[in-house]
Amino acid sequence: MSRIGVFGGMGPSATVDFLDKLVKLTPASRDQDHLPVIVASLPHIHDRSSAILGRGRDPLPQLLAGIDMLNQAAVGVIAIPCNSSHHWFDEMSRSSKAPLLHIAKTCVEAIDAAAGSRVAIFATRGALASGFYQRELLARGMNFILPDSEGAQKQVDSCIREVKAGNLEAGAQQLSQACQDAVRQGATTLIMGCTEIPIASRSADVFGLTLVDSSLELARASVAFALARGWNRPGWDS
Amino acid sequence: MSRIGVFGGMGPSATVDFLDKLVKLTPASRDQDHLPVIVASLPHIHDRSSAILGRGRDPLPQLLAGIDMLNQAAVGVIAIPCNSSHHWFDEMSRSSKAPLLHIAKTCVEAIDAAAGSRVAIFATRGALASGFYQRELLARGMNFILPDSEGAQKQVDSCIREVKAGNLEAGAQQLSQACQDAVRQGATTLIMGCTEIPIASRSADVFGLTLVDSSLELARASVAFALARGWNRPGWDS
């Protein structure tokens, strides 16, 4: 039970980005200092955002099958670098022996509530309709700004779609426009609440927004969970 | 049986680089066009090169355990983005239901034997002592150039060690020096026969050498194997 389980493929590039963060966040000077990780990258899971909005097939059976696969591989914790899938977090948690880390909780906990930030949320329409980011922020006494559904949200949607299609520059352009709009609305901090957005942000103009990367915060929580339990110590089979 | 199995963690950054190549090599405009992948990233496996040289613990039981884990996850093919571990390729193949792709075979097949290239091999001392690259080249009628064990090989060793420690710039500097030496020896083509070397090569001066990337060629073979069998078509659970 000394392995991090990653339920990925939603999307595949975001999974690679998340794994890269796990490696870089682990203090290591040789292979044997690193953390064992089992990844189930299952890209054929039905679109999460569409399903939440009532316009697509229910991905829950596939999500539960992925959680089961990771439990079969005896992982000790599960991270899912896909925000929208957290709409089904409770169902997945209940079916898992290994605990699940919640991406939105790790992300919102990274924001200093006392700093008086004005927080914008960029996520899929499904994740915003599900409302888990809004609930986490309100529970910590923070308000939020959402993109106009006929304006900046369209650019967020395009950004995510372009990254999933491998078009990083086009994704970055869309993200830049959405960021400019968020700043106009008064935002000072941006939750990148979809794991494709951090990939686009590498070459975007974010107009001075403080970025909070949901993928990075989930990776930090995963590494901290594993290091606290000594999973970086050789003896992986014990 | 419609999933690629990746036996990784040797080392972890090289595994991330390999997964990134799988994603980028797959023709896809949305998540659902991608290939299902199961990754066992098990970094605690004993050092392969040291073991081949008789100076370290035998990793074979751990290697067989990793192969077994991927078979338990019902993968249909296994790729191992670690060259040195291919010293135990036959033992791993015999214990696996899923076929294994051989990194050195995929890599050498990418070289045009008729082009008269003078091929240098950069790999761990263990992989060179095992000799699988030399055998593959000779079997295809190609000769090879090895770095001087007291000279350029020390830079190759350092390059690999620096990348494993996350020091990419230092790794690139060591690689540049080794490449300069290979060119002095008359090489025109370089087999990057250790999966850390391509990571260092991104910011190295390779002095005009044609690079053959073992990680990229293994990724190409993996994607081709999977696409030929339609594993990119939704219906992942069937």
Side-chain angles (χ1 to χ4, degrees):
Chain A
M1 301 290 279
S2 52
R3 300 163 190 148
I4 297 173
V6 176
F7 188 3
M10 306 176 277
S13 292
T15 301
V16 171
D17 180 50
F18 178 76
L19 296 172
D20 191 45
K21 287 164 173 164
L22 287 185
V23 172
K24 288 180 176 152
L25 288 168
T26 304
S29 61
R30 55 185 191 132
D31 293 355
Q32 289 77 12
D33 298 334
H34 278 276
L35 295 162
V37 181
I38 307 294
V39 186
S41 184
L42 306 175
H44 295 157
I45 293 173
H46 304 312
D47 188 84
R48 285 68 60 194
S49 182
S50 298
I52 296 168
L53 299 171
R55 295 199 297 259
R57 292 177 65 186
D58 181 9
L60 183 58
Q62 298 172 315
L63 292 173
L64 295 180
I67 293 292
D68 185 56
M69 189 182 299
L70 288 170
N71 276 284
Q72 295 286 334
V75 300
V77 69
I78 294 177
I80 313 173
C82 164
N83 283 272
S84 304
S85 66
H86 284 66
H87 178 69
W88 295 272
F89 184 82
D90 291 344
E91 292 90 333
M92 290 191 285
S93 280
R94 275 197 299 271
S95 79
S96 180
K97 189 175 165 194
L100 270 62
L101 300 176
H102 195 301
I103 194 168
K105 284 189 201 292
T106 65
C107 190
V108 170
E109 282 167 7
I111 304 170
D112 181 359
S117 310
R118 290 175 52 88
V119 182
I121 311 169
F122 284 2
T124 65
R125 289 175 192 260
L128 293 179
S130 182
F132 47 83
Y133 269 106
Q134 297 94 311
R135 286 194 294 277
E136 285 299 325
L137 286 163
L138 291 174
R140 296 173 61 90
M142 286 181 272
N143 220 316
F144 52 82
I145 298 164
L146 299 182
D148 173 24
S149 69
E150 289 306 309
Q153 183 63 39
K154 287 189 174 177
Q155 281 140 12
V156 174
D157 298 345
S158 296
C159 164
I160 296 167
R161 196 168 51 241
E162 294 288 5
V163 172
K164 283 182 185 289
N167 306 320
L168 302 197
E169 282 308 312
Q173 282 176 23
Q174 295 289 336
L175 179 59
S176 298
Q177 290 177 37
C179 285
Q180 189 172 28
D181 202 76
V183 169
R184 274 200 209 106
Q185 283 185 277
T188 59
T189 293
L190 173 65
I191 290 179
M192 298 193 286
C194 169
T195 52
E196 271 78 27
I197 296 174
I199 299 173
S201 76
R202 290 178 207 153
S203 46
D205 183 348
V206 300
F207 292 88
L209 286 165
T210 298
L211 301 181
V212 186
D213 175 347
S214 59
S215 174
L216 178 62
E217 298 308 331
L218 183 65
R220 283 195 174 123
S222 304
V223 170
F225 188 100
L227 291 181
R229 287 157 181 80
W231 295 356
N232 55 329
R233 288 196 295 267
W236 66 287
D237 232 343
S238 63
Chain B
M1 302 291 280
S2 52
R3 300 165 190 148
I4 297 172
V6 177
F7 188 2
M10 306 175 279
S13 292
T15 301
V16 171
D17 180 51
F18 179 75
L19 296 172
D20 191 45
K21 286 164 172 164
L22 286 184
V23 172
K24 288 180 176 153
L25 288 168
T26 305
S29 62
R30 54 184 192 132
D31 293 354
Q32 290 77 13
D33 297 335
H34 278 275
L35 294 162
V37 182
I38 307 293
V39 187
S41 184
L42 305 176
H44 294 158
I45 292 172
H46 304 312
D47 188 84
R48 284 68 61 194
S49 181
S50 298
I52 296 168
L53 299 171
R55 296 199 297 257
R57 293 177 63 186
D58 181 9
L60 183 58
Q62 298 170 316
L63 292 172
L64 296 180
I67 293 292
D68 184 57
M69 190 182 299
L70 289 170
N71 276 283
Q72 294 288 333
V75 300
V77 69
I78 294 177
I80 312 173
C82 165
N83 283 273
S84 304
S85 67
H86 284 66
H87 178 69
W88 295 272
F89 184 82
D90 290 345
E91 291 90 333
M92 291 191 284
S93 280
R94 275 197 299 271
S95 78
S96 180
K97 189 175 164 194
L100 270 62
L101 301 175
H102 196 301
I103 194 167
K105 284 189 201 292
T106 65
C107 191
V108 170
E109 282 167 7
I111 304 170
D112 181 359
S117 310
R118 289 176 51 90
V119 182
I121 310 170
F122 284 3
T124 65
R125 289 176 192 259
L128 293 179
S130 182
F132 47 83
Y133 269 106
Q134 295 95 310
R135 286 193 294 276
E136 285 300 323
L137 286 162
L138 291 174
R140 295 172 63 87
M142 285 181 273
N143 220 315
F144 51 82
I145 298 166
L146 299 181
D148 173 22
S149 71
E150 289 305 308
Q153 183 62 40
K154 287 189 175 178
Q155 283 140 12
V156 173
D157 297 345
S158 296
C159 165
I160 296 167
R161 196 169 51 240
E162 294 288 4
V163 172
K164 283 182 183 289
N167 306 320
L168 303 196
E169 282 310 312
Q173 282 176 24
Q174 296 290 335
L175 179 59
S176 298
Q177 290 177 36
C179 285
Q180 189 173 27
D181 202 76
V183 169
R184 274 200 209 106
Q185 285 185 274
T188 58
T189 293
L190 173 65
I191 289 180
M192 298 191 287
C194 169
T195 52
E196 271 77 27
I197 296 174
I199 299 173
S201 76
R202 290 177 206 153
S203 46
D205 183 348
V206 300
F207 292 88
L209 286 164
T210 298
L211 300 181
V212 186
D213 175 347
S214 58
S215 173
L216 178 62
E217 297 309 330
L218 183 66
R220 282 194 174 123
S222 304
V223 169
F225 187 100
L227 292 181
R229 287 157 182 80
W231 294 356
N232 56 330
R233 288 195 295 267
W236 66 286
D237 230 344
S238 64

